[in-house]
Amino acid sequence: MCGLVGYLGSKDALPFLLEGLKRLEYRGYDSAGVALLNEGNFSIIKKKGKIANLEAELPEKNLSHAGIGHNRWATHGEPSDVNAHPHQANSGNIVIAHNGIIENHLEIREDLEAKGIEFKSDTDTEVIVQLLDFYMKENPKVFFTDAVQAILPKLAGTYGILFLHKDYPDTLIGVRNGSPLCFGLSNGEFIISSDVIAFATYMPQVVHLEDKEMVIIEKDNYRISTFKGAIVDKELENIDKQQTTASKGEYDHFMLKEIYEQPRSVLRAIRGRLLNEEGNTKLGGINMDVRDFFDIDHICFVGCGTSYHAGLLGVYLMESMARIPSTAEIAPELKYRNPIVRKKTLYVGISQSGETADTNSTLQEIKNKGGKVIGICNVVGSSMARMTGAGIYVHAGLEISVCSTKAFTSQISAIYLLSILMARSKDMSIHAGRRLVKGLDEIPQKISQILEQKDRIREIAKKYSHFNNFLFMGRGNNYPVALEGALKLKEVAYVFAEGYSSAEMKHGAIALIDPECASIFICPDDNMRTKNVSNIQEVRSRNGRILAIVTEGDTEICDVADDVLEIPATEPELTPFLTIIHLQLFSYFIALELGKDIDQPRNLAKSVTVE
Ligand code: F6R
């Protein structure tokens, strides 16, 4: 959410800023802008809309060696040229770009306005630059860095901020408090960004800032300090290129490419972690051994959106396989009801990006209360991975599509591995363990078989593309899949869809059933099938339109549903891996049919770094 990029070095800053912004565009695309320091003055170019709009306005040649850029996902103030970042102080001396929210912006604004400062934008961000400007005017002898340090305690909320001052052409400052910030360096050149992918191709190493740290880059040197000025020593970390480069290749959209990557991404998540003979799994990164499991009597999965849905499936798996009472929590709901943190609960944070503010701040709250926290995360070195210090990397590779697909199947891979591991330390027999491990091993190949049905799924999606209301229904392990399927459709096709337990339908949602409402039943051959068939019949009797996802050869359901999509037979516990693939493709093809902006759906952004 919002992309920040800054450059300081001996080369022309603009190409680096532009390339960085393009790579970060999936994080926010309401507006974009750059500020370049040219012979003692700033040139600022900002445009509403996508980077292409900004690019059309940029000069062909530019000789600036210092600059900052920003992709915006609007929080305060509508998307517009004026509200786009970077923002400049009234004196013209300072420019900043900001990711996050300044919660006390109204207070600061009113205070500055009372002192005669005029504001140009509706953003919370502008208060930072005007406050700094005012402070430097009041304290004419203060150095730029000291002034930045002096105003930070006045800002409440979360932020990653980049600062440039025209009288300090060789200084670029970045500060972090709750919004990610890192920088790369190579031969006296520096690029600082909210995400390593902005500079991964130019720079081999990265330094991640932690909260309440700042970096002061000066010519070919840098120093990191706390907000209070204490110097911090940090290791340079090598950048994992696999995690940071992506192209659409032969696919029209990242979403489709990432759906197609799933046989490989699931394989990467489980590879080396299955113990066929022992009917067990191994997970080195959780820093727990089998004896530690005796002390766990409750698992709490914590996440948002798709990651929350993965956690909800975790509840079904942990309870049915490992017989450990479990819950799944939408992260901020847990945080703000003041969690009762228990010694014997294992808290499992789930996040693709590892940068979701709601999830990270909840995990931090749990840690502060002494809870045991691990993470299931895709991005190596992300804030969540560093905060938890233990967990499971899912190795899905870079996910660019705002609508998450391969992250989900990778996250549930990790959850199946963890569930089997814990189950085997409790009641699960070696035979049951072997059956599941073998089943997991076969999943990548079975996902490929579904992907081969692309044309059929597309044809069905076309038939359903005129519906304005969808109910996605499933039970047991496929209830979380129903929620996830509905989320996919809402996100990319902007069609109203609700995920529902098919068991719960008759308690209310059945009132919606008529020929204009499409019911998508997830009804594989598992222990819920018979009950699901009854629920399908209930919809049929009310003239509802039914698409059912079934296990191949289920002729009974073929007879009652209007349309069916088939998954290959698998172990009953593992069907979510396969049913979700149909739903991802179904949503993709409906969005395609409706002509939506699939990789950058309106109002959304990848990685929500504000609460
Ligand atoms: C859905 C989607 C979001 C994310 C959610 C959490 O397609 O992308 O719902 O799942 O914002 O993001 P992470 O997993 O990065 O914490």
Side-chain angles (χ1 to χ4, degrees):
M1 174 164 292
C2 293
L4 290 174
V5 57
Y7 175 91
L8 188 73
S10 54
K11 299 193 181 138
D12 179 359
L14 185 54
F16 291 102
L17 297 184
L18 188 59
E19 185 57 28
L21 290 179
K22 283 183 180 168
R23 291 187 196 177
L24 296 173
E25 190 173 25
Y26 72 118
R27 298 214 157 204
Y29 33 82
D30 290 340
S31 54
V34 292
L36 298 155
L37 187 51
N38 265 326
E39 294 168 359
N41 278 310
F42 287 112
S43 329
I44 300 177
I45 307 124
K46 318 198 282 188
K47 255 352 252 170
K48 180 180 168 186
K50 297 197 176 181
I51 306 271
N53 299 3
L54 172 71
E55 202 171 359
E57 303 284 317
L58 293 174
E60 275 190 16
K61 260 209 161 317
N62 182 71
L63 292 171
S64 169
H65 304 310
I68 57 177
H70 187 269
N71 289 324
R72 180 164 185 251
W73 182 85
T75 57
H76 297 65
E78 60 170 12
S80 68
D81 292 357
V82 173
N83 288 336
H85 301 213
H87 288 280
Q88 188 172 30
N90 288 347
S91 67
N93 290 347
I94 310 164
V95 292
I96 67 155
H98 163 226
N99 183 5
I101 293 178
I102 304 302
E103 285 167 1
N104 59 342
H105 70 108
L106 279 178
E107 216 173 280
I108 301 176
R109 192 179 181 116
E110 278 165 18
D111 193 37
L112 290 172
E113 277 173 344
K115 289 171 177 147
I117 312 284
E118 283 179 20
F119 281 77
K120 300 183 276 273
S121 76
D122 304 321
T123 62
D124 55 330
T125 299
E126 195 184 344
V127 302
I128 309 169
V129 74
Q130 302 293 16
L131 181 66
L132 181 60
D133 198 36
F134 183 78
Y135 182 86
M136 292 191 79
K137 224 178 270 164
E138 294 278 289
N139 300 278
K141 295 210 170 118
V142 73
F143 287 110
F144 180 33
T145 309
D146 297 335
V148 169
Q149 261 163 359
I151 64 136
L152 291 177
K154 300 183 199 301
L155 306 176
T158 55
Y159 45 84
I161 315 171
L162 303 182
F163 296 86
L164 278 179
H165 192 300
K166 76 180 177 53
D167 298 338
Y168 296 79
D170 294 325
T171 303
L172 169 61
I173 298 176
V175 306
R176 168 182 171 145
N177 185 34
S179 290
L181 206 63
C182 57
F183 65 95
L185 60 159
S186 155
N187 301 325
E189 282 186 286
F190 293 85
I191 301 181
I192 179 162
S193 176
S194 46
D195 191 323
V196 65
I197 66 166
F199 53 79
T201 41
Y202 318 114
M203 299 181 166
Q205 290 182 305
V206 58
V207 180
H208 291 279
L209 296 190
E210 299 298 335
D211 285 345
K212 299 221 175 348
E213 287 180 356
M214 60 194 290
V215 57
I216 302 106
I217 299 169
E218 276 168 337
K219 227 162 167 132
D220 37 20
N221 242 315
Y222 73 90
R223 64 179 193 280
I224 299 170
S225 77
T226 63
F227 284 4
K228 291 190 173 151
I231 296 296
V232 179
D233 260 343
K234 274 194 180 259
E235 299 270 307
L236 289 163
E237 292 169 37
N238 291 332
I239 295 174
D240 176 356
K241 300 277 175 200
Q242 243 214 340
Q243 286 267 358
T244 51
T245 43
S247 82
K248 280 193 284 224
E250 71 202 74
Y251 296 93
D252 290 338
H253 297 99
F254 278 108
M255 181 177 175
L256 189 63
K257 176 178 178 245
E258 288 161 8
I259 290 173
Y260 268 78
E261 276 173 12
Q262 290 176 104
R264 273 177 294 131
S265 53
V266 169
L267 183 63
R268 280 200 300 273
I270 60 175
R271 192 164 41 202
R273 291 168 166 172
L274 299 182
L275 302 172
N276 298 66
E277 198 43 43
E278 288 99 315
N280 208 339
T281 65
K282 63 171 180 205
L283 293 166
I286 59 174
N287 293 347
M288 280 189 269
D289 78 18
V290 75
R291 275 161 305 197
D292 299 317
F293 298 157
F294 287 123
D295 292 330
I296 294 168
D297 68 5
H298 175 226
I299 312 256
C300 178
F301 294 96
V302 181
C304 294
T306 290
S307 299
Y308 164 70
H309 295 155
L312 195 56
L313 175 58
V315 172
Y316 285 84
L317 300 180
M318 277 294 173
E319 294 203 344
S320 63
M321 294 184 191
R323 309 296 299 147
I324 303 176
S326 302
T327 45
E329 299 279 358
I330 294 171
E333 292 302 326
L334 179 62
K335 175 177 171 185
Y336 290 108
R337 66 170 199 263
N338 192 9
I340 302 164
V341 173
R342 294 175 65 248
K343 193 175 166 199
K344 290 192 168 190
T345 296
L346 175 66
Y347 295 88
V348 183
I350 307 173
S351 175
Q352 185 285 126
S353 61
E355 301 297 350
T356 299
D358 284 322
T359 307
N360 287 352
S361 68
T362 306
L363 297 179
Q364 190 59 58
E365 175 70 7
I366 293 165
K367 273 186 77 173
N368 293 347
K369 287 176 183 275
K372 180 167 181 50
V373 177
I374 63 168
I376 291 180
C377 191
N378 186 32
V379 178
V380 176
S382 59
S383 302
M384 186 174 118
R386 294 201 309 281
M387 181 216 300
T388 53
I392 309 170
Y393 277 126
V394 301
H395 304 302
L398 188 59
E399 190 178 67
I400 293 283
S401 163
V402 168
C403 180
S404 193
T405 54
K406 65 175 177 172
F408 179 75
T409 45
S410 298
Q411 288 165 345
I412 67 170
S413 302
I415 295 170
Y416 274 96
L417 294 172
L418 185 63
S419 305
I420 294 171
L421 182 67
M422 297 189 95
R424 287 286 289 117
S425 78
K426 298 189 183 283
D427 293 344
M428 185 182 276
S429 69
I430 188 165
H431 300 294
R434 278 186 188 148
R435 178 178 64 78
L436 284 170
V437 165
K438 180 166 177 291
L440 268 181
D441 216 5
E442 291 167 356
I443 287 294
Q445 206 272 325
K446 289 183 178 171
I447 294 177
S448 298
Q449 286 176 38
I450 297 177
L451 296 173
E452 282 162 20
Q453 299 177 41
K454 179 178 119 198
D455 293 342
R456 163 127 182 94
I457 303 169
R458 183 173 190 165
E459 194 186 297
I460 289 189
K462 204 168 169 184
K463 271 168 77 176
Y464 282 77
S465 59
H466 67 279
F467 280 91
N468 293 321
N469 295 301
F470 284 81
L471 285 174
F472 283 71
M473 287 178 281
R475 299 172 79 127
N477 287 2
N478 279 291
Y479 167 53
V481 175
L483 298 184
E484 177 61 5
L487 180 63
K488 300 301 92 170
L489 191 65
K490 283 184 263 208
E491 278 181 292
V492 288
Y494 318 152
V495 175
F496 185 80
E498 175 129 73
Y500 233 84
S501 156
S502 28
E504 178 72 356
M505 174 193 71
K506 55 189 173 302
H507 299 288
I510 198 163
L512 294 169
I513 302 294
D514 68 13
E516 306 307 315
C517 177
S519 296
I520 315 298
F521 271 97
I522 308 160
C523 189
D525 188 9
D526 61 12
N527 59 349
M528 288 289 117
R529 183 187 163 281
T530 316
K531 296 266 184 232
N532 261 324
V533 173
S534 304
N535 300 137
I536 292 177
Q537 294 285 10
E538 287 152 14
V539 172
R540 167 88 304 154
S541 334
R542 289 160 180 84
N543 294 322
R545 177 75 173 264
I546 299 163
L547 164 63
I549 319 277
V550 303
T551 301
E552 59 193 357
D554 194 331
T555 48
E556 186 188 0
I557 298 183
C558 287
D559 290 345
V560 277
D562 295 288
D563 298 283
V564 292
L565 288 167
E566 293 185 335
I567 61 163
T570 183
E571 297 303 331
E573 297 90 332
L574 301 178
T575 57
F577 276 112
L578 306 180
T579 50
I580 189 59
I581 307 292
H582 276 302
L583 299 183
Q584 292 170 347
L585 280 171
F586 181 72
S587 298
Y588 172 81
F589 284 124
I590 289 193
L592 194 66
E593 192 61 30
L594 298 178
K596 303 300 184 206
D597 189 346
I598 292 179
D599 279 336
Q600 295 181 337
R602 70 180 179 205
N603 305 338
L604 294 175
K606 192 85 179 158
S607 181
V608 183
T609 52
V610 292
E611 276 195 42

Short mmCIF file of all heavy atoms in Angstrom, two decimals, residues 27 302-309 350-360 376-379 384 399 401-405 407 411 484 487-488 491-492 604-608, ligand 1:
data_model
loop_
_atom_site.label_atom_id
_atom_site.label_comp_id
_atom_site.label_asym_id
_atom_site.label_seq_id
_atom_site.Cartn_x
_atom_site.Cartn_y
_atom_site.Cartn_z
N ARG A 27 1.20 -1.78 -5.46
CA ARG A 27 0.93 -1.43 -4.06
C ARG A 27 0.01 -0.22 -3.92
O ARG A 27 -0.42 0.13 -2.83
CB ARG A 27 2.24 -1.09 -3.37
CG ARG A 27 3.13 -2.29 -3.36
CD ARG A 27 3.93 -2.30 -2.11
NE ARG A 27 4.35 -3.65 -1.88
CZ ARG A 27 4.67 -4.12 -0.70
NH1 ARG A 27 4.57 -3.35 0.35
NH2 ARG A 27 5.08 -5.34 -0.55
N VAL A 302 -4.06 -16.02 13.08
CA VAL A 302 -4.34 -14.58 13.00
C VAL A 302 -3.96 -14.07 11.61
O VAL A 302 -2.83 -14.29 11.15
CB VAL A 302 -3.49 -13.82 14.06
CG1 VAL A 302 -3.78 -12.33 14.01
CG2 VAL A 302 -3.74 -14.37 15.45
N GLY A 303 -4.87 -13.41 10.94
CA GLY A 303 -4.56 -12.87 9.61
C GLY A 303 -5.68 -11.97 9.12
O GLY A 303 -6.65 -11.72 9.83
N CYS A 304 -5.55 -11.52 7.89
CA CYS A 304 -6.58 -10.67 7.27
C CYS A 304 -6.87 -11.20 5.86
O CYS A 304 -5.97 -11.76 5.21
CB CYS A 304 -6.08 -9.24 7.12
SG CYS A 304 -5.81 -8.42 8.68
N GLY A 305 -8.07 -10.99 5.39
CA GLY A 305 -8.44 -11.31 4.00
C GLY A 305 -8.19 -12.77 3.70
O GLY A 305 -8.58 -13.69 4.45
N THR A 306 -7.50 -12.99 2.59
CA THR A 306 -7.20 -14.35 2.16
C THR A 306 -6.42 -15.12 3.22
O THR A 306 -6.65 -16.31 3.45
CB THR A 306 -6.40 -14.27 0.83
OG1 THR A 306 -7.31 -13.83 -0.17
CG2 THR A 306 -5.80 -15.58 0.43
N SER A 307 -5.51 -14.44 3.88
CA SER A 307 -4.69 -15.11 4.90
C SER A 307 -5.56 -15.54 6.09
O SER A 307 -5.32 -16.57 6.71
CB SER A 307 -3.57 -14.19 5.38
OG SER A 307 -2.74 -13.87 4.29
N TYR A 308 -6.56 -14.73 6.39
CA TYR A 308 -7.52 -15.12 7.44
C TYR A 308 -8.27 -16.39 7.02
O TYR A 308 -8.48 -17.31 7.81
CB TYR A 308 -8.48 -13.97 7.73
CG TYR A 308 -9.72 -14.40 8.49
CD1 TYR A 308 -9.64 -14.79 9.83
CD2 TYR A 308 -10.96 -14.47 7.86
CE1 TYR A 308 -10.77 -15.22 10.52
CE2 TYR A 308 -12.09 -14.90 8.54
CZ TYR A 308 -11.98 -15.28 9.86
OH TYR A 308 -13.09 -15.71 10.54
N HIS A 309 -8.67 -16.43 5.74
CA HIS A 309 -9.39 -17.62 5.26
C HIS A 309 -8.51 -18.87 5.38
O HIS A 309 -9.00 -19.95 5.73
CB HIS A 309 -9.84 -17.44 3.80
CG HIS A 309 -10.85 -16.34 3.65
ND1 HIS A 309 -11.05 -15.64 2.48
CD2 HIS A 309 -11.73 -15.82 4.56
CE1 HIS A 309 -12.00 -14.74 2.67
NE2 HIS A 309 -12.43 -14.82 3.91
N ILE A 350 -0.48 -15.24 9.91
CA ILE A 350 -0.42 -15.65 8.50
C ILE A 350 -0.44 -14.41 7.63
O ILE A 350 -1.33 -13.56 7.77
CB ILE A 350 -1.61 -16.55 8.11
CG1 ILE A 350 -1.74 -17.72 9.10
CG2 ILE A 350 -1.46 -17.08 6.69
CD1 ILE A 350 -2.98 -18.56 8.88
N SER A 351 0.54 -14.30 6.75
CA SER A 351 0.57 -13.13 5.86
C SER A 351 1.42 -13.43 4.64
O SER A 351 2.54 -13.95 4.77
CB SER A 351 1.15 -11.93 6.61
OG SER A 351 1.28 -10.84 5.74
N GLN A 352 0.90 -13.11 3.48
CA GLN A 352 1.71 -13.24 2.26
C GLN A 352 2.86 -12.26 2.32
O GLN A 352 4.01 -12.63 2.24
CB GLN A 352 0.81 -12.97 1.04
CG GLN A 352 1.46 -13.18 -0.32
CD GLN A 352 2.41 -12.08 -0.76
OE1 GLN A 352 3.57 -12.38 -1.10
NE2 GLN A 352 2.01 -10.83 -0.72
N SER A 353 2.51 -10.99 2.49
CA SER A 353 3.51 -9.92 2.40
C SER A 353 4.38 -9.83 3.65
O SER A 353 5.53 -9.40 3.58
CB SER A 353 2.81 -8.58 2.21
OG SER A 353 1.96 -8.33 3.34
N GLY A 354 3.79 -10.19 4.78
CA GLY A 354 4.51 -9.98 6.05
C GLY A 354 4.53 -8.51 6.44
O GLY A 354 5.22 -8.11 7.38
N GLU A 355 3.76 -7.67 5.72
CA GLU A 355 3.77 -6.23 6.01
C GLU A 355 2.38 -5.70 6.35
O GLU A 355 2.19 -4.49 6.40
CB GLU A 355 4.31 -5.44 4.81
CG GLU A 355 5.71 -5.79 4.36
CD GLU A 355 6.78 -5.50 5.43
OE1 GLU A 355 6.47 -4.85 6.44
OE2 GLU A 355 7.92 -5.96 5.24
N THR A 356 1.40 -6.57 6.52
CA THR A 356 0.04 -6.10 6.79
C THR A 356 -0.01 -5.50 8.20
O THR A 356 0.21 -6.20 9.19
CB THR A 356 -0.95 -7.26 6.63
OG1 THR A 356 -0.87 -7.70 5.27
CG2 THR A 356 -2.37 -6.84 6.93
N ALA A 357 -0.31 -4.21 8.26
CA ALA A 357 -0.23 -3.50 9.54
C ALA A 357 -1.18 -4.11 10.57
O ALA A 357 -0.82 -4.27 11.74
CB ALA A 357 -0.56 -2.02 9.33
N ASP A 358 -2.40 -4.45 10.13
CA ASP A 358 -3.37 -5.01 11.07
C ASP A 358 -2.84 -6.30 11.71
O ASP A 358 -2.98 -6.52 12.91
CB ASP A 358 -4.68 -5.34 10.34
CG ASP A 358 -5.51 -4.09 10.05
OD1 ASP A 358 -5.54 -3.19 10.91
OD2 ASP A 358 -6.11 -4.03 8.97
N THR A 359 -2.24 -7.14 10.89
CA THR A 359 -1.75 -8.43 11.39
C THR A 359 -0.52 -8.22 12.27
O THR A 359 -0.43 -8.76 13.39
CB THR A 359 -1.41 -9.37 10.21
OG1 THR A 359 -2.54 -9.44 9.36
CG2 THR A 359 -1.03 -10.75 10.68
N ASN A 360 0.43 -7.43 11.77
CA ASN A 360 1.68 -7.27 12.53
C ASN A 360 1.45 -6.60 13.87
O ASN A 360 2.04 -6.98 14.88
CB ASN A 360 2.69 -6.46 11.71
CG ASN A 360 3.26 -7.28 10.57
OD1 ASN A 360 3.01 -8.49 10.49
ND2 ASN A 360 4.01 -6.66 9.68
N ILE A 376 3.46 -17.62 9.40
CA ILE A 376 3.45 -18.32 8.11
C ILE A 376 3.49 -17.21 7.08
O ILE A 376 2.56 -16.41 6.98
CB ILE A 376 2.19 -19.20 7.95
CG1 ILE A 376 2.26 -20.37 8.94
CG2 ILE A 376 2.06 -19.70 6.51
CD1 ILE A 376 1.06 -21.31 8.89
N CYS A 377 4.58 -17.11 6.37
CA CYS A 377 4.84 -15.89 5.61
C CYS A 377 5.49 -16.23 4.28
O CYS A 377 6.21 -17.22 4.16
CB CYS A 377 5.78 -15.06 6.48
SG CYS A 377 5.96 -13.41 5.88
N ASN A 378 5.23 -15.38 3.29
CA ASN A 378 5.87 -15.62 1.99
C ASN A 378 7.16 -14.81 1.85
O ASN A 378 8.17 -15.33 1.39
CB ASN A 378 4.88 -15.28 0.87
CG ASN A 378 5.43 -15.65 -0.50
OD1 ASN A 378 6.18 -16.62 -0.62
ND2 ASN A 378 5.08 -14.89 -1.51
N VAL A 379 7.11 -13.54 2.22
CA VAL A 379 8.25 -12.67 1.90
C VAL A 379 9.35 -12.82 2.96
O VAL A 379 9.17 -12.47 4.13
CB VAL A 379 7.79 -11.20 1.75
CG1 VAL A 379 9.00 -10.31 1.48
CG2 VAL A 379 6.78 -11.09 0.62
N MET A 384 6.96 -9.15 9.40
CA MET A 384 6.38 -10.22 10.22
C MET A 384 7.41 -11.31 10.47
O MET A 384 7.53 -11.82 11.59
CB MET A 384 5.15 -10.81 9.55
CG MET A 384 4.45 -11.81 10.45
SD MET A 384 2.91 -12.37 9.73
CE MET A 384 3.29 -14.08 9.56
N GLU A 399 4.36 -12.46 -5.34
CA GLU A 399 2.97 -12.39 -5.79
C GLU A 399 2.67 -10.93 -6.13
O GLU A 399 2.70 -10.06 -5.26
CB GLU A 399 2.01 -12.90 -4.70
CG GLU A 399 0.59 -13.05 -5.25
CD GLU A 399 -0.39 -13.61 -4.21
OE1 GLU A 399 -0.66 -12.91 -3.21
OE2 GLU A 399 -0.88 -14.74 -4.39
N SER A 401 -0.11 -9.94 -8.41
CA SER A 401 -1.55 -9.67 -8.55
C SER A 401 -2.10 -9.24 -7.19
O SER A 401 -1.83 -9.88 -6.17
CB SER A 401 -2.25 -10.95 -9.01
OG SER A 401 -3.63 -10.83 -8.77
N VAL A 402 -2.86 -8.15 -7.20
CA VAL A 402 -3.44 -7.67 -5.95
C VAL A 402 -4.37 -8.74 -5.38
O VAL A 402 -4.44 -8.94 -4.17
CB VAL A 402 -4.18 -6.33 -6.21
CG1 VAL A 402 -5.04 -5.94 -5.03
CG2 VAL A 402 -3.16 -5.24 -6.52
N CYS A 403 -5.05 -9.44 -6.25
CA CYS A 403 -5.92 -10.53 -5.83
C CYS A 403 -5.04 -11.77 -5.59
O CYS A 403 -4.42 -12.30 -6.50
CB CYS A 403 -6.95 -10.80 -6.92
SG CYS A 403 -8.06 -12.11 -6.52
N SER A 404 -5.01 -12.18 -4.35
CA SER A 404 -4.09 -13.24 -3.93
C SER A 404 -4.60 -14.62 -4.37
O SER A 404 -5.77 -14.94 -4.17
CB SER A 404 -4.03 -13.17 -2.41
OG SER A 404 -2.99 -13.92 -1.92
N THR A 405 -3.74 -15.42 -4.97
CA THR A 405 -4.16 -16.77 -5.39
C THR A 405 -3.15 -17.81 -4.90
O THR A 405 -3.44 -18.61 -4.02
CB THR A 405 -4.31 -16.86 -6.92
OG1 THR A 405 -3.09 -16.43 -7.55
CG2 THR A 405 -5.48 -16.05 -7.41
N ALA A 407 -0.67 -17.46 -3.06
CA ALA A 407 -0.32 -17.32 -1.64
C ALA A 407 -1.24 -18.20 -0.79
O ALA A 407 -0.81 -18.82 0.17
CB ALA A 407 -0.41 -15.87 -1.19
N GLN A 411 -0.06 -20.99 1.66
CA GLN A 411 -0.32 -20.87 3.10
C GLN A 411 -1.01 -22.13 3.64
O GLN A 411 -0.64 -22.65 4.69
CB GLN A 411 -1.23 -19.66 3.37
CG GLN A 411 -0.51 -18.34 3.18
CD GLN A 411 -1.48 -17.16 3.09
OE1 GLN A 411 -2.68 -17.33 2.90
NE2 GLN A 411 -0.96 -15.96 3.23
N GLU A 484 -13.35 -17.63 0.55
CA GLU A 484 -12.25 -17.19 -0.30
C GLU A 484 -12.72 -17.03 -1.76
O GLU A 484 -12.34 -16.08 -2.45
CB GLU A 484 -11.08 -18.20 -0.19
CG GLU A 484 -9.88 -17.95 -1.06
CD GLU A 484 -9.16 -16.62 -0.80
OE1 GLU A 484 -9.51 -15.89 0.14
OE2 GLU A 484 -8.26 -16.30 -1.59
N LEU A 487 -14.61 -13.85 -2.04
CA LEU A 487 -13.69 -12.70 -1.98
C LEU A 487 -13.04 -12.47 -3.35
O LEU A 487 -12.92 -11.33 -3.81
CB LEU A 487 -12.63 -12.94 -0.90
CG LEU A 487 -11.60 -11.82 -0.71
CD1 LEU A 487 -12.24 -10.53 -0.25
CD2 LEU A 487 -10.53 -12.24 0.30
N LYS A 488 -12.63 -13.56 -4.02
CA LYS A 488 -11.99 -13.43 -5.33
C LYS A 488 -12.92 -12.71 -6.30
O LYS A 488 -12.52 -11.81 -7.03
CB LYS A 488 -11.60 -14.78 -5.93
CG LYS A 488 -10.62 -15.65 -5.17
CD LYS A 488 -9.28 -15.04 -4.91
CE LYS A 488 -9.22 -14.33 -3.61
NZ LYS A 488 -7.94 -13.90 -3.13
N GLU A 491 -13.39 -9.01 -5.50
CA GLU A 491 -12.19 -8.22 -5.75
C GLU A 491 -11.97 -7.91 -7.22
O GLU A 491 -11.67 -6.78 -7.58
CB GLU A 491 -10.95 -8.97 -5.26
CG GLU A 491 -10.67 -8.85 -3.81
CD GLU A 491 -9.42 -9.61 -3.46
OE1 GLU A 491 -9.44 -10.85 -3.53
OE2 GLU A 491 -8.43 -8.98 -3.13
N VAL A 492 -12.06 -8.93 -8.06
CA VAL A 492 -11.65 -8.69 -9.45
C VAL A 492 -12.81 -8.39 -10.39
O VAL A 492 -12.61 -7.75 -11.42
CB VAL A 492 -10.80 -9.83 -10.04
CG1 VAL A 492 -9.42 -9.82 -9.45
CG2 VAL A 492 -11.45 -11.18 -9.91
N LEU A 604 -8.25 -1.07 -4.40
CA LEU A 604 -7.43 -2.03 -3.65
C LEU A 604 -5.94 -1.70 -3.80
O LEU A 604 -5.54 -0.94 -4.66
CB LEU A 604 -7.67 -3.45 -4.15
CG LEU A 604 -9.06 -4.03 -3.92
CD1 LEU A 604 -9.17 -5.39 -4.57
CD2 LEU A 604 -9.32 -4.15 -2.43
N ALA A 605 -5.17 -2.32 -2.95
CA ALA A 605 -3.71 -2.24 -3.09
C ALA A 605 -3.14 -3.50 -2.47
O ALA A 605 -3.73 -4.08 -1.55
CB ALA A 605 -3.18 -1.03 -2.35
N LYS A 606 -2.02 -3.91 -2.98
CA LYS A 606 -1.36 -5.08 -2.40
C LYS A 606 -0.71 -4.64 -1.11
O LYS A 606 -0.11 -3.57 -1.04
CB LYS A 606 -0.28 -5.55 -3.39
CG LYS A 606 0.30 -6.89 -3.08
CD LYS A 606 -0.57 -7.97 -3.66
CE LYS A 606 -0.03 -9.35 -3.39
NZ LYS A 606 -1.11 -10.35 -3.49
N SER A 607 -0.82 -5.45 -0.09
CA SER A 607 -0.11 -5.20 1.15
C SER A 607 -0.61 -3.92 1.84
O SER A 607 -0.20 -2.81 1.52
CB SER A 607 1.37 -5.10 0.83
OG SER A 607 2.11 -4.87 1.96
N VAL A 608 -1.51 -4.11 2.76
CA VAL A 608 -2.18 -2.98 3.40
C VAL A 608 -1.39 -2.55 4.64
O VAL A 608 -1.50 -3.15 5.70
CB VAL A 608 -3.63 -3.36 3.77
CG1 VAL A 608 -4.37 -2.17 4.36
CG2 VAL A 608 -4.37 -3.85 2.53
C1 F6R B 1 -7.16 -10.95 -1.18
C2 F6R B 1 -6.05 -10.17 -0.68
C3 F6R B 1 -6.13 -9.57 0.68
C4 F6R B 1 -4.93 -10.03 1.50
C5 F6R B 1 -4.90 -9.33 2.85
C6 F6R B 1 -3.76 -9.83 3.73
O1 F6R B 1 -6.97 -11.37 -2.48
O2 F6R B 1 -5.06 -10.03 -1.33
O3 F6R B 1 -7.32 -9.89 1.30
O4 F6R B 1 -5.02 -11.42 1.65
O5 F6R B 1 -4.77 -7.96 2.66
O6 F6R B 1 -2.53 -9.65 3.09
P1 F6R B 1 -1.25 -10.41 3.59
O7 F6R B 1 -1.45 -11.85 3.33
O8 F6R B 1 -0.12 -9.84 2.78
O9 F6R B 1 -1.11 -10.13 5.05
#
